Amino acid sequence: MNKPRLSESQEDYLKEIYKLEELNGRVGMQDLAKRLDVRPASVTGMVKKLVQVQLVEHEPYKGVRLTDVGEKIALEVLRHHRLLELYLANHLNYTWDEIHEEAERLEHVISEKFEAAIAELMDHPTHDPHGDPIPSADLKIPETPDLKPVSSLKAGSFSTIRRVMTQDKDILNMLSRLNLIVNRDIQVAGKDSSGVRLKVDEQQYFLPLSIANFIFVECDS
């Protein structure tokens, strides 16, 4: 796609705004600063620049949202990132807790030819190793089933993990050791106000809500 020349930092802002919009609608400046691990003053300055080039809209006290052009750029960066994550995992033997940082470095520099080549090699995948949807070549998000955080399910419920919405390496490493990975069938064995006990492959593990809230599942009908 034709797009304005942007810095890597500007592309990162657009990508993170998109991801926060997906969760919360309009994006607060403090939330964006926390996600990007930068000072609020830095966010204010960057948002002003993105407003000037009509990639975001900002209303004081209401937050930031992407314009149509800003969203397309964010989706293009996300497509690069998620294709790279899957390529690294499937073809270069990276673990799912390693792929994010590598893809962060590469997403800004690969060509459209390279993007198309790895997409073709992997038969045009729709989801990355974390279960995040990969925008198509025309920047459409693939249809996905209705997903719920596992922490919202009742005790005794059966479901399948479809998405893990964190890039924290320690959390991903732990979930991998417990076999709580994408496409794994699980049962909620019990829950209370502090967390959820999950059963997988005849083993049970207790997860605090701070971690269980990252795990999104498709419930059995």
Side-chain angles (χ1 to χ4, degrees), residues 56-91:
V56 305
E57 296 175 352
H58 175 232
E59 291 186 50
Y61 309 110
K62 290 187 177 180
V64 179
R65 74 176 185 87
L66 297 171
T67 64
D68 289 344
V69 175
E71 182 176 293
K72 287 180 179 179
I73 295 172
L75 287 170
E76 178 68 18
V77 178
L78 277 174
R79 175 170 168 79
H80 285 188
H81 183 95
R82 292 172 178 174
L83 281 172
L84 283 164
E85 287 195 333
L86 191 61
Y87 180 76
L88 290 165
N90 287 2
H91 295 274

mmCIF file of all heavy atoms in Angstrom, residues 56-91:
data_model
loop_
_atom_site.group_PDB
_atom_site.id
_atom_site.type_symbol
_atom_site.label_atom_id
_atom_site.label_comp_id
_atom_site.label_asym_id
_atom_site.label_seq_id
_atom_site.Cartn_x
_atom_site.Cartn_y
_atom_site.Cartn_z
ATOM 1 N N VAL A 56 -4.207 10.171 13.229
ATOM 2 C CA VAL A 56 -5.018 9.964 14.428
ATOM 3 C C VAL A 56 -5.860 11.201 14.682
ATOM 4 O O VAL A 56 -5.573 12.294 14.179
ATOM 5 C CB VAL A 56 -4.165 9.657 15.692
ATOM 6 C CG1 VAL A 56 -3.242 8.484 15.467
ATOM 7 C CG2 VAL A 56 -3.395 10.881 16.142
ATOM 8 N N GLU A 57 -6.903 11.011 15.488
ATOM 9 C CA GLU A 57 -7.709 12.112 16.002
ATOM 10 C C GLU A 57 -7.598 12.099 17.514
ATOM 11 O O GLU A 57 -7.556 11.026 18.124
ATOM 12 C CB GLU A 57 -9.173 11.960 15.578
ATOM 13 C CG GLU A 57 -9.379 12.041 14.074
ATOM 14 C CD GLU A 57 -10.817 11.768 13.673
ATOM 15 O OE1 GLU A 57 -11.613 11.369 14.564
ATOM 16 O OE2 GLU A 57 -11.147 11.940 12.486
ATOM 17 N N HIS A 58 -7.551 13.277 18.121
ATOM 18 C CA HIS A 58 -7.403 13.363 19.569
ATOM 19 C C HIS A 58 -8.374 14.398 20.119
ATOM 20 O O HIS A 58 -8.428 15.529 19.632
ATOM 21 C CB HIS A 58 -5.976 13.760 19.955
ATOM 22 C CG HIS A 58 -5.801 13.991 21.423
ATOM 23 N ND1 HIS A 58 -5.252 15.130 21.953
ATOM 24 C CD2 HIS A 58 -6.143 13.210 22.489
ATOM 25 C CE1 HIS A 58 -5.245 15.061 23.275
ATOM 26 N NE2 HIS A 58 -5.777 13.910 23.610
ATOM 27 N N GLU A 59 -9.157 13.972 21.108
ATOM 28 C CA GLU A 59 -10.021 14.880 21.842
ATOM 29 C C GLU A 59 -9.563 14.905 23.292
ATOM 30 O O GLU A 59 -9.465 13.841 23.921
ATOM 31 C CB GLU A 59 -11.480 14.421 21.780
ATOM 32 C CG GLU A 59 -12.120 14.552 20.412
ATOM 33 C CD GLU A 59 -13.604 14.211 20.472
ATOM 34 O OE1 GLU A 59 -14.303 14.766 21.342
ATOM 35 O OE2 GLU A 59 -14.046 13.379 19.662
ATOM 36 N N PRO A 60 -9.259 16.096 23.834
ATOM 37 C CA PRO A 60 -8.827 16.166 25.233
ATOM 38 C C PRO A 60 -9.831 15.475 26.160
ATOM 39 O O PRO A 60 -11.044 15.631 26.010
ATOM 40 C CB PRO A 60 -8.767 17.674 25.502
ATOM 41 C CG PRO A 60 -8.507 18.270 24.151
ATOM 42 C CD PRO A 60 -9.268 17.405 23.176
ATOM 43 N N TYR A 61 -9.298 14.684 27.078
ATOM 44 C CA TYR A 61 -10.074 13.946 28.082
ATOM 45 C C TYR A 61 -10.901 12.793 27.492
ATOM 46 O O TYR A 61 -11.557 12.072 28.234
ATOM 47 C CB TYR A 61 -10.994 14.880 28.874
ATOM 48 C CG TYR A 61 -10.275 16.074 29.439
ATOM 49 C CD1 TYR A 61 -10.502 17.345 28.924
ATOM 50 C CD2 TYR A 61 -9.339 15.945 30.462
ATOM 51 C CE1 TYR A 61 -9.823 18.458 29.419
ATOM 52 C CE2 TYR A 61 -8.652 17.044 30.968
ATOM 53 C CZ TYR A 61 -8.907 18.283 30.433
ATOM 54 O OH TYR A 61 -8.231 19.381 30.925
ATOM 55 N N LYS A 62 -10.873 12.633 26.176
ATOM 56 C CA LYS A 62 -11.609 11.527 25.558
ATOM 57 C C LYS A 62 -10.667 10.519 24.900
ATOM 58 O O LYS A 62 -11.056 9.380 24.677
ATOM 59 C CB LYS A 62 -12.609 12.050 24.527
ATOM 60 C CG LYS A 62 -13.780 12.800 25.146
ATOM 61 C CD LYS A 62 -14.826 13.146 24.097
ATOM 62 C CE LYS A 62 -16.017 13.834 24.729
ATOM 63 N NZ LYS A 62 -17.052 14.175 23.722
ATOM 64 N N GLY A 63 -9.451 10.940 24.582
ATOM 65 C CA GLY A 63 -8.473 9.996 24.070
ATOM 66 C C GLY A 63 -8.208 10.113 22.589
ATOM 67 O O GLY A 63 -8.594 11.071 21.923
ATOM 68 N N VAL A 64 -7.552 9.079 22.076
ATOM 69 C CA VAL A 64 -7.048 9.048 20.715
ATOM 70 C C VAL A 64 -7.715 7.919 19.946
ATOM 71 O O VAL A 64 -8.012 6.863 20.512
ATOM 72 C CB VAL A 64 -5.511 8.806 20.726
ATOM 73 C CG1 VAL A 64 -4.953 8.744 19.317
ATOM 74 C CG2 VAL A 64 -4.808 9.866 21.544
ATOM 75 N N ARG A 65 -7.946 8.145 18.667
ATOM 76 C CA ARG A 65 -8.366 7.039 17.807
ATOM 77 C C ARG A 65 -7.735 7.217 16.444
ATOM 78 O O ARG A 65 -7.405 8.325 16.008
ATOM 79 C CB ARG A 65 -9.886 6.946 17.705
ATOM 80 C CG ARG A 65 -10.548 8.001 16.863
ATOM 81 C CD ARG A 65 -12.043 7.740 16.758
ATOM 82 N NE ARG A 65 -12.711 8.669 15.861
ATOM 83 C CZ ARG A 65 -12.826 8.495 14.549
ATOM 84 N NH1 ARG A 65 -12.288 7.423 13.989
ATOM 85 N NH2 ARG A 65 -13.450 9.374 13.796
ATOM 86 N N LEU A 66 -7.564 6.113 15.730
ATOM 87 C CA LEU A 66 -6.969 6.145 14.406
ATOM 88 C C LEU A 66 -7.954 6.673 13.377
ATOM 89 O O LEU A 66 -9.154 6.395 13.443
ATOM 90 C CB LEU A 66 -6.534 4.740 13.993
ATOM 91 C CG LEU A 66 -5.454 4.066 14.838
ATOM 92 C CD1 LEU A 66 -5.307 2.610 14.411
ATOM 93 C CD2 LEU A 66 -4.125 4.783 14.721
ATOM 94 N N THR A 67 -7.437 7.421 12.409
ATOM 95 C CA THR A 67 -8.223 7.717 11.223
ATOM 96 C C THR A 67 -8.207 6.486 10.321
ATOM 97 O O THR A 67 -7.505 5.503 10.583
ATOM 98 C CB THR A 67 -7.627 8.910 10.457
ATOM 99 O OG1 THR A 67 -6.316 8.551 9.989
ATOM 100 C CG2 THR A 67 -7.535 10.148 11.351
ATOM 101 N N ASP A 68 -8.969 6.533 9.226
ATOM 102 C CA ASP A 68 -8.996 5.392 8.303
ATOM 103 C C ASP A 68 -7.604 5.114 7.744
ATOM 104 O O ASP A 68 -7.187 3.951 7.638
ATOM 105 C CB ASP A 68 -9.974 5.658 7.158
ATOM 106 C CG ASP A 68 -11.427 5.613 7.614
ATOM 107 O OD1 ASP A 68 -11.686 5.093 8.721
ATOM 108 O OD2 ASP A 68 -12.290 6.103 6.857
ATOM 109 N N VAL A 69 -6.872 6.180 7.396
ATOM 110 C CA VAL A 69 -5.518 5.992 6.858
ATOM 111 C C VAL A 69 -4.591 5.457 7.941
ATOM 112 O O VAL A 69 -3.786 4.546 7.695
ATOM 113 C CB VAL A 69 -4.970 7.320 6.282
ATOM 114 C CG1 VAL A 69 -3.516 7.149 5.836
ATOM 115 C CG2 VAL A 69 -5.826 7.787 5.122
ATOM 116 N N GLY A 70 -4.698 5.996 9.151
ATOM 117 C CA GLY A 70 -3.873 5.508 10.249
ATOM 118 C C GLY A 70 -4.128 4.046 10.555
ATOM 119 O O GLY A 70 -3.198 3.284 10.844
ATOM 120 N N GLU A 71 -5.393 3.633 10.472
ATOM 121 C CA GLU A 71 -5.728 2.229 10.728
ATOM 122 C C GLU A 71 -5.118 1.319 9.669
ATOM 123 O O GLU A 71 -4.610 0.236 9.987
ATOM 124 C CB GLU A 71 -7.238 2.048 10.764
ATOM 125 C CG GLU A 71 -7.667 0.617 11.063
ATOM 126 C CD GLU A 71 -9.167 0.478 11.189
ATOM 127 O OE1 GLU A 71 -9.734 1.041 12.152
ATOM 128 O OE2 GLU A 71 -9.766 -0.194 10.323
ATOM 129 N N LYS A 72 -5.138 1.736 8.410
ATOM 130 C CA LYS A 72 -4.563 0.910 7.352
ATOM 131 C C LYS A 72 -3.061 0.723 7.562
ATOM 132 O O LYS A 72 -2.525 -0.373 7.361
ATOM 133 C CB LYS A 72 -4.843 1.533 5.988
ATOM 134 C CG LYS A 72 -6.300 1.398 5.546
ATOM 135 C CD LYS A 72 -6.533 2.032 4.184
ATOM 136 C CE LYS A 72 -7.992 1.876 3.747
ATOM 137 N NZ LYS A 72 -8.241 2.515 2.434
ATOM 138 N N ILE A 73 -2.391 1.784 7.975
ATOM 139 C CA ILE A 73 -0.950 1.668 8.232
ATOM 140 C C ILE A 73 -0.704 0.742 9.417
ATOM 141 O O ILE A 73 0.193 -0.111 9.385
ATOM 142 C CB ILE A 73 -0.335 3.052 8.476
ATOM 143 C CG1 ILE A 73 -0.420 3.900 7.205
ATOM 144 C CG2 ILE A 73 1.123 2.921 8.934
ATOM 145 C CD1 ILE A 73 -0.026 5.345 7.395
ATOM 146 N N ALA A 74 -1.508 0.886 10.474
ATOM 147 C CA ALA A 74 -1.362 0.015 11.639
ATOM 148 C C ALA A 74 -1.563 -1.449 11.248
ATOM 149 O O ALA A 74 -0.813 -2.330 11.695
ATOM 150 C CB ALA A 74 -2.359 0.420 12.724
ATOM 151 N N LEU A 75 -2.556 -1.718 10.415
ATOM 152 C CA LEU A 75 -2.830 -3.092 9.987
ATOM 153 C C LEU A 75 -1.696 -3.646 9.134
ATOM 154 O O LEU A 75 -1.363 -4.829 9.219
ATOM 155 C CB LEU A 75 -4.149 -3.152 9.219
ATOM 156 C CG LEU A 75 -5.411 -3.001 10.073
ATOM 157 C CD1 LEU A 75 -6.638 -2.819 9.184
ATOM 158 C CD2 LEU A 75 -5.608 -4.206 10.988
ATOM 159 N N GLU A 76 -1.086 -2.794 8.316
ATOM 160 C CA GLU A 76 0.050 -3.247 7.503
ATOM 161 C C GLU A 76 1.229 -3.637 8.396
ATOM 162 O O GLU A 76 1.878 -4.665 8.183
ATOM 163 C CB GLU A 76 0.467 -2.152 6.525
ATOM 164 C CG GLU A 76 1.675 -2.489 5.671
ATOM 165 C CD GLU A 76 1.411 -3.592 4.654
ATOM 166 O OE1 GLU A 76 0.229 -3.876 4.351
ATOM 167 O OE2 GLU A 76 2.387 -4.182 4.175
ATOM 168 N N VAL A 77 1.502 -2.818 9.424
ATOM 169 C CA VAL A 77 2.592 -3.135 10.348
ATOM 170 C C VAL A 77 2.270 -4.418 11.117
ATOM 171 O O VAL A 77 3.133 -5.282 11.311
ATOM 172 C CB VAL A 77 2.857 -1.967 11.313
ATOM 173 C CG1 VAL A 77 3.969 -2.323 12.297
ATOM 174 C CG2 VAL A 77 3.239 -0.699 10.545
ATOM 175 N N LEU A 78 1.024 -4.551 11.548
ATOM 176 C CA LEU A 78 0.617 -5.767 12.255
ATOM 177 C C LEU A 78 0.737 -6.994 11.357
ATOM 178 O O LEU A 78 1.128 -8.076 11.818
ATOM 179 C CB LEU A 78 -0.823 -5.637 12.756
ATOM 180 C CG LEU A 78 -1.031 -4.911 14.074
ATOM 181 C CD1 LEU A 78 -2.522 -4.751 14.353
ATOM 182 C CD2 LEU A 78 -0.364 -5.649 15.230
ATOM 183 N N ARG A 79 0.396 -6.842 10.085
ATOM 184 C CA ARG A 79 0.542 -7.984 9.158
ATOM 185 C C ARG A 79 1.997 -8.401 9.080
ATOM 186 O O ARG A 79 2.314 -9.593 9.179
ATOM 187 C CB ARG A 79 0.007 -7.599 7.775
ATOM 188 C CG ARG A 79 0.239 -8.674 6.718
ATOM 189 C CD ARG A 79 -0.507 -8.366 5.424
ATOM 190 N NE ARG A 79 -0.065 -9.222 4.340
ATOM 191 C CZ ARG A 79 -0.452 -10.498 4.151
ATOM 192 N NH1 ARG A 79 -1.297 -11.050 5.000
ATOM 193 N NH2 ARG A 79 -0.016 -11.202 3.132
ATOM 194 N N HIS A 80 2.892 -7.437 8.907
ATOM 195 C CA HIS A 80 4.316 -7.769 8.897
ATOM 196 C C HIS A 80 4.709 -8.496 10.174
ATOM 197 O O HIS A 80 5.375 -9.538 10.144
ATOM 198 C CB HIS A 80 5.149 -6.489 8.776
ATOM 199 C CG HIS A 80 5.161 -5.892 7.400
ATOM 200 N ND1 HIS A 80 5.971 -4.847 7.056
ATOM 201 C CD2 HIS A 80 4.453 -6.203 6.276
ATOM 202 C CE1 HIS A 80 5.770 -4.523 5.777
ATOM 203 N NE2 HIS A 80 4.855 -5.337 5.292
ATOM 204 N N HIS A 81 4.322 -7.911 11.303
ATOM 205 C CA HIS A 81 4.750 -8.434 12.602
ATOM 206 C C HIS A 81 4.261 -9.870 12.811
ATOM 207 O O HIS A 81 5.038 -10.755 13.192
ATOM 208 C CB HIS A 81 4.210 -7.532 13.710
ATOM 209 C CG HIS A 81 4.650 -7.932 15.082
ATOM 210 N ND1 HIS A 81 5.743 -7.381 15.708
ATOM 211 C CD2 HIS A 81 4.156 -8.861 15.953
ATOM 212 C CE1 HIS A 81 5.900 -7.931 16.893
ATOM 213 N NE2 HIS A 81 4.940 -8.834 17.057
ATOM 214 N N ARG A 82 2.996 -10.105 12.551
ATOM 215 C CA ARG A 82 2.425 -11.413 12.865
ATOM 216 C C ARG A 82 2.855 -12.475 11.868
ATOM 217 O O ARG A 82 3.028 -13.653 12.247
ATOM 218 C CB ARG A 82 0.908 -11.285 12.989
ATOM 219 C CG ARG A 82 0.527 -10.459 14.216
ATOM 220 C CD ARG A 82 -0.947 -10.123 14.323
ATOM 221 N NE ARG A 82 -1.194 -9.364 15.559
ATOM 222 C CZ ARG A 82 -2.364 -8.825 15.883
ATOM 223 N NH1 ARG A 82 -3.420 -8.975 15.079
ATOM 224 N NH2 ARG A 82 -2.499 -8.152 17.020
ATOM 225 N N LEU A 83 3.040 -12.108 10.608
ATOM 226 C CA LEU A 83 3.613 -13.065 9.665
ATOM 227 C C LEU A 83 5.031 -13.440 10.078
ATOM 228 O O LEU A 83 5.425 -14.610 10.011
ATOM 229 C CB LEU A 83 3.631 -12.469 8.251
ATOM 230 C CG LEU A 83 2.327 -12.481 7.465
ATOM 231 C CD1 LEU A 83 2.479 -11.674 6.178
ATOM 232 C CD2 LEU A 83 1.871 -13.904 7.143
ATOM 233 N N LEU A 84 5.802 -12.446 10.496
ATOM 234 C CA LEU A 84 7.168 -12.715 10.942
ATOM 235 C C LEU A 84 7.180 -13.618 12.166
ATOM 236 O O LEU A 84 8.006 -14.537 12.261
ATOM 237 C CB LEU A 84 7.882 -11.397 11.255
ATOM 238 C CG LEU A 84 8.363 -10.598 10.045
ATOM 239 C CD1 LEU A 84 8.696 -9.169 10.442
ATOM 240 C CD2 LEU A 84 9.574 -11.264 9.398
ATOM 241 N N GLU A 85 6.274 -13.378 13.110
ATOM 242 C CA GLU A 85 6.226 -14.238 14.298
ATOM 243 C C GLU A 85 5.988 -15.692 13.901
ATOM 244 O O GLU A 85 6.644 -16.605 14.416
ATOM 245 C CB GLU A 85 5.135 -13.757 15.252
ATOM 246 C CG GLU A 85 5.478 -12.485 15.993
ATOM 247 C CD GLU A 85 4.565 -12.237 17.168
ATOM 248 O OE1 GLU A 85 3.410 -12.694 17.146
ATOM 249 O OE2 GLU A 85 5.006 -11.580 18.129
ATOM 250 N N LEU A 86 5.043 -15.902 13.000
ATOM 251 C CA LEU A 86 4.734 -17.275 12.589
ATOM 252 C C LEU A 86 5.893 -17.884 11.814
ATOM 253 O O LEU A 86 6.230 -19.064 12.002
ATOM 254 C CB LEU A 86 3.462 -17.280 11.737
ATOM 255 C CG LEU A 86 2.861 -18.656 11.461
ATOM 256 C CD1 LEU A 86 2.454 -19.350 12.751
ATOM 257 C CD2 LEU A 86 1.660 -18.538 10.528
ATOM 258 N N TYR A 87 6.525 -17.109 10.965
ATOM 259 C CA TYR A 87 7.680 -17.601 10.210
ATOM 260 C C TYR A 87 8.824 -17.976 11.142
ATOM 261 O O TYR A 87 9.447 -19.035 10.989
ATOM 262 C CB TYR A 87 8.124 -16.519 9.225
ATOM 263 C CG TYR A 87 9.311 -16.918 8.372
ATOM 264 C CD1 TYR A 87 9.165 -17.795 7.303
ATOM 265 C CD2 TYR A 87 10.583 -16.413 8.641
ATOM 266 C CE1 TYR A 87 10.250 -18.170 6.521
ATOM 267 C CE2 TYR A 87 11.674 -16.777 7.861
ATOM 268 C CZ TYR A 87 11.501 -17.650 6.812
ATOM 269 O OH TYR A 87 12.573 -18.014 6.049
ATOM 270 N N LEU A 88 9.091 -17.137 12.119
ATOM 271 C CA LEU A 88 10.160 -17.418 13.076
ATOM 272 C C LEU A 88 9.873 -18.693 13.862
ATOM 273 O O LEU A 88 10.770 -19.503 14.119
ATOM 274 C CB LEU A 88 10.325 -16.238 14.033
ATOM 275 C CG LEU A 88 10.916 -14.955 13.430
ATOM 276 C CD1 LEU A 88 10.681 -13.779 14.364
ATOM 277 C CD2 LEU A 88 12.401 -15.127 13.150
ATOM 278 N N ALA A 89 8.605 -18.870 14.250
ATOM 279 C CA ALA A 89 8.233 -20.048 15.040
ATOM 280 C C ALA A 89 8.247 -21.320 14.198
ATOM 281 O O ALA A 89 8.763 -22.360 14.630
ATOM 282 C CB ALA A 89 6.853 -19.838 15.658
ATOM 283 N N ASN A 90 7.694 -21.248 12.989
ATOM 284 C CA ASN A 90 7.500 -22.452 12.184
ATOM 285 C C ASN A 90 8.731 -22.865 11.379
ATOM 286 O O ASN A 90 8.911 -24.047 11.084
ATOM 287 C CB ASN A 90 6.330 -22.260 11.220
ATOM 288 C CG ASN A 90 4.991 -22.292 11.918
ATOM 289 O OD1 ASN A 90 4.930 -22.420 13.142
ATOM 290 N ND2 ASN A 90 3.920 -22.157 11.165
ATOM 291 N N HIS A 91 9.570 -21.892 11.018
ATOM 292 C CA HIS A 91 10.668 -22.196 10.106
ATOM 293 C C HIS A 91 12.049 -21.961 10.701
ATOM 294 O O HIS A 91 13.034 -22.478 10.166
ATOM 295 C CB HIS A 91 10.511 -21.392 8.815
ATOM 296 C CG HIS A 91 9.297 -21.772 8.033
ATOM 297 N ND1 HIS A 91 9.272 -22.808 7.133
ATOM 298 C CD2 HIS A 91 8.041 -21.262 8.042
ATOM 299 C CE1 HIS A 91 8.060 -22.927 6.610
ATOM 300 N NE2 HIS A 91 7.295 -22.004 7.149
#
